[in-house]
């Protein structure tokens, strides 16, 4: 399949590994392949390289190196966070599937979100019970881009901690945040966020897949999910993914260096994409917070009422434009996303939703090409279905009346 | 540090990734980076590539593709196998630490091994109780090279299954084998082995670290260790390590193609290494089965009574020779290996043990260089300690009198 242009608009699902990251990783596959636990000098050098990578990551998130556990991705890190507690947990309804699945193994309260996806701190405060041990609120949602008020969550968890202390209750309460989707464009400093546990993924910041980490404050006692040789301070056994860990550290370094500029650039491209689509299709519905400070800069969630998103995906791939319809996990099962259900989006809108996420490889010409393609395939679907702009506008007005 | 020659003799701890495997992996880090769960054509191609890799691996081990779960390494695969049962388990005393650690989370019976490390099937038969649900016996031990009679274990597990059927007992019993150390030189066909669960590691066959698999027969209901997006048929959530999986399949293909020839070649090199050492140091003790058919072809475990192995490791690394002292996990804690304890090796011998494992990168000149270096550093230690061959021979004779 050759197209005039190839435009990838699904950076929230997967990022290519940055060439500098590949370069950092390669020696550890080939000439520096030694097992970091082996006793000879070459292997000890590799152990040092792993620890240097841990130190780099720690510095970039404002943490101590020994508080970082490298995992096989964000899903495992989220599972490790939840395995640290036995009791009641509080999550919000638009967390990543791995967080919701972990919450499902605990007594739990799932907090509703607003139509923009924002979790109300007051609702979380009401959901916390005396026996709550963990609150998990993602830093940014990967489907509609909502940035959550994690700092405020931290304050209310601290208040609950103070209340327990004064009441002589000994049960700890921890705040976890999955920052996988955020790390490319937002600061992930654990002190500023005020969290006790933080999940990061290399695969969303131009690092390798199946590499992630869980940071845990000194107050947290992590418990292993797998048992064995005792690597990662006994919390996560198995010979270290040396190349992956070194690559992750390099990827996070690059992300931090470029973060401010890249966030501004992506926000500009996202606005250009949005404007190009809604100027042609003014009845298209953009989800997520309107306030740019409350949403991921490189994410545009747009819904076309009454049009099947999967038909758009297929029409777009024919012209070289790759778009997602939600989280890739859900997409593979072609069901309406739990995120759109949770924000109350009417089904006729949800089924016509594209999640467009931007990244390093894109420029204005790419965005213009993609916008034109999206408008074209939506119009083709409208023609096939006998819809016009007026009927669409009326339909959307009716749907929006029932929603926000 | 530059030496006349660099000789790596710790292939059981880590293997370099084969250049052909790196070549197979690289596109999935860079241009084919798509998330296999995403809905567009490029991502579906990657999904197909993952499934093709699964098919390749399945064919090479004589299994069905849908019975293979890719994991982040052998440790996780072993944990997944044990998580499939709640009840009593039977293991032998020289299993890998991850198997022993998993067994530690169950009611269990640990079967002793002989001085050559061989697990007696009759002992396993005696250890099986009516409530036993899993027997786990590795195919080959990575420290002393013992190849276990897994096929015989399969027959006795089948006999117990028949007994239960006839007695109207419904409790299943499964046979698991960790074949991580075996796959490079032995057949790992699941039907020939007669196992229900098989663990493999890419990292021991010139594939990437933190990539492994668990094969499970149709009769086994696996239960997830981590929850999330539902990848790997719901058993192992998290975006797939596409590059790792493709690399693993390629590594296993190469291992299978070269297996017979490489096993013969390594057996020859191992014998050359053994002969060169014991001709100079006839009191050196070689552990593991004497029958070549019962031991890994590329492994030589040799013990120098009264000499500290870690001093040998350091002296050898100075002349470019990297050797292990046991499993890398244990080595990093510099304690006597549980394997040597289990075979009853006297402590004075165990503490002077080197595990020398050979692999693709080695030729006769490397082996000769390493043998000469080993003899030289052992002699230097003898001089330092005021030992000579006669006292050593007498010392060893005395120690052996208490052992085998």
């Amino acid at each position: 399949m050759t197209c005039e242009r190839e435009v990838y608009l699904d950076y929230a699902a997967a990022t290519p590994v940055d060439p500098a990251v590949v370069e950092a990783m390669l020696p550890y596959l080939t000439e520096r392949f030694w097992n970091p636990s082996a006793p000879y000098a070459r292997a000890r050098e590799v152990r040092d390289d792993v620890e240097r990578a841990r130190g780099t990551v720690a510095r970039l998130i404002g943490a101590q190196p020994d508080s970082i556990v490298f995992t096989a991705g964000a899903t495992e890190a989220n599972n490790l966070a939840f395995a640290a507690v036995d009791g009641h947990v509080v999550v919000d309804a638009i967390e990543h599937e791995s967080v919701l699945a972990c919450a499902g193994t605990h007594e739990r309260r799932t907090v509703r979100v607003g139509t923009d996806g924002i979790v109300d701190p007051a609702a979380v405060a009401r959901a916390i019970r005396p026996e709550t041990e963990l609150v998990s609120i993602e830093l940014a949602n990967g489907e509609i881009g909502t940035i959550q008020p994690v700092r405020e969550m931290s304050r209310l968890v601290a208040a609950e901690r103070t209340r327990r202390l004064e009441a002589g209750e000994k049960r700890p309460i921890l705040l976890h945040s999955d920052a996988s989707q955020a790390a490319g464009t937002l600061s992930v400093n654990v002190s500023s966020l005020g969290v006790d546990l933080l999940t990061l993924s290399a695969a969303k910041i131009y690092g390798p897949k199946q590499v992630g980490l869980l940071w845990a404050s000194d107050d947290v006692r992590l418990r292993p999910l797998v048992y064995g040789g005792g690597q990662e301070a006994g919390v996560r056994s198995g010979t270290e993914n040396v190349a992956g860990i070194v690559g992750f550290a390099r990827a996070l370094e690059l992300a931090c260096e470029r973060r401010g500029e890249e966030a501004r650039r992506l926000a500009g491209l996202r606005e250009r994409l949005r404007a190009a689509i809604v100027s042609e299709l003014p009845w298209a519905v953009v989800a997520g917070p309107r306030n740019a400070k409350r949403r991921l800069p490189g994410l545009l969630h747009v819904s076309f009422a009454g049009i099947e998103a999967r038909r758009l995906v297929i029409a777009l791939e024919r012209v070289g434009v790759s778009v997602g319809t939600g989280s890739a996990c859900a997409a593979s099962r072609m069901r309406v996303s739990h995120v759109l259900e949770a924000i109350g989006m009417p089904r006729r809108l949800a089924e016509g939703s594209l999640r467009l996420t931007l990244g390093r490889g894109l420029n204005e010409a790419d965005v213009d090409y993609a916008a034109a393609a999206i408008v074209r395939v939506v119009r083709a679907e409208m023609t096939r279905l006998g819809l016009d702009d007026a009927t669409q506008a009326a339909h959307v007005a009716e749907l929006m009346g029932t929603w926000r």
Side-chain angles (χ1 to χ4, degrees), chain A:
Chain A
M1 185 161 52
T2 53
C3 303
E4 186 189 329
R5 195 179 273 267
E6 295 272 341
V7 183
Y8 176 69
L9 293 180
D10 203 17
Y11 282 86
T15 53
V17 182
D18 190 285
V21 173
V22 174
E23 196 187 320
M25 291 173 69
L26 272 178
Y28 297 93
L29 297 177
T30 53
E31 69 264 29
R32 294 176 74 75
F33 65 88
W34 302 291
N35 188 320
S37 297
Y40 32 86
R42 286 155 191 79
R44 294 196 308 271
E45 281 171 33
V46 167
R47 149 90 31 229
D48 291 346
D49 295 343
V50 168
E51 295 313 316
R52 196 170 306 116
R54 197 186 307 275
T56 299
V57 167
R59 179 175 50 77
L60 295 169
I61 67 170
Q64 292 300 314
D66 62 3
S67 59
I68 287 169
V69 178
F70 287 112
T71 64
T75 289
E76 187 190 322
N78 286 338
N79 276 261
L80 204 51
F82 276 78
V85 302
D86 295 309
H88 183 260
V89 299
V90 173
V91 296
D92 65 81
I94 64 168
E95 287 295 310
H96 184 264
E97 283 169 309
S98 59
V99 165
L100 293 178
C102 289
T105 66
H106 289 70
E107 253 202 286
R108 67 197 169 278
R109 175 71 187 276
T110 307
V111 175
R112 292 184 186 188
V113 299
T115 53
D116 50 6
I118 293 176
V119 181
D120 179 3
V124 171
R126 284 192 302 274
I128 292 174
R129 308 195 313 214
E131 62 271 27
T132 300
E133 296 184 0
L134 183 74
V135 175
S136 182
I137 308 287
E138 66 196 345
L139 182 49
N141 180 274
E143 187 162 342
I144 56 170
T146 310
I147 297 171
Q148 302 295 0
V150 170
R151 183 70 212 162
E152 288 176 58
M153 304 297 170
S154 168
R155 277 193 283 268
L156 66 90
V157 166
E160 170 65 10
R161 217 171 262 149
T162 303
R163 187 200 65 71
R164 290 183 189 182
L165 194 69
E166 288 169 357
E169 296 169 22
K170 294 224 171 69
R171 195 186 292 269
I173 180 167
L174 303 170
L175 176 60
H176 168 248
S177 186
D178 179 351
S180 300
Q181 291 288 355
T185 46
L186 305 178
S187 163
V188 287
N189 184 288
V190 295
S191 307
S192 314
L193 291 171
V195 294
D196 304 293
L197 293 149
L198 185 84
T199 292
L200 288 179
S201 167
K204 309 297 190 194
I205 55 167
Y206 309 89
K209 289 180 177 60
Q210 284 261 327
V211 181
L213 68 81
L214 181 68
W215 168 81
S217 78
D218 288 347
D219 301 335
V220 182
R221 179 81 59 86
L222 295 177
R223 292 185 294 201
L225 297 168
V226 303
Y227 299 88
Q231 289 87 348
E232 297 292 311
V235 172
R236 211 275 176 189
S237 287
T239 300
E240 295 86 346
N241 182 355
V242 180
I245 289 170
V246 169
F248 189 5
R250 188 77 188 101
L252 192 60
E253 265 183 332
L254 295 173
C256 291
E257 280 169 19
R258 302 174 184 180
R259 190 177 277 148
E261 193 189 320
E262 185 66 355
R264 276 189 298 280
R265 194 182 77 85
L266 294 182
L269 288 178
R270 185 258 187 202
E271 177 51 23
R272 187 179 181 98
L273 182 62
R274 187 200 63 77
I277 294 170
V278 302
S279 69
E280 291 293 325
L281 305 165
W283 46 268
V285 174
V286 174
R290 280 157 211 243
N291 179 345
K293 289 193 174 161
R294 300 303 294 270
R295 62 172 195 248
L296 281 177
L299 188 149
L300 176 66
H301 188 282
V302 60
S303 305
F304 305 100
I307 291 174
E308 270 185 273
R310 56 179 160 180
R311 292 186 63 94
L312 300 180
V313 169
I314 291 165
L316 285 167
E317 80 188 21
R318 291 208 187 104
V319 293
V321 178
S322 300
V323 302
T325 56
S327 92
C329 318
S332 71
R333 294 191 290 279
M334 287 292 181
R335 66 172 191 219
V336 166
S337 111
H338 71 280
V339 174
L340 302 187
E341 274 181 2
I343 62 171
M345 183 183 275
R347 203 171 175 90
R348 296 281 289 169
L349 271 179
E351 288 170 347
S353 294
L354 299 183
R355 177 192 64 173
L356 311 173
T357 48
L358 312 179
R360 282 190 201 153
L362 298 173
N363 58 30
E364 292 187 347
D366 294 320
V367 163
D368 294 347
Y369 177 86
I374 290 167
V375 169
R376 205 164 58 240
V377 300
V378 170
R379 289 234 170 269
E381 273 299 291
M382 287 169 67
T383 303
R384 194 181 67 82
L385 297 166
L387 303 169
D388 61 27
D389 283 327
T391 56
Q392 283 297 85
H395 186 193
V396 168
E398 191 193 325
L399 291 171
M400 296 302 280
T402 69
W403 182 34
R404 66 181 189 197

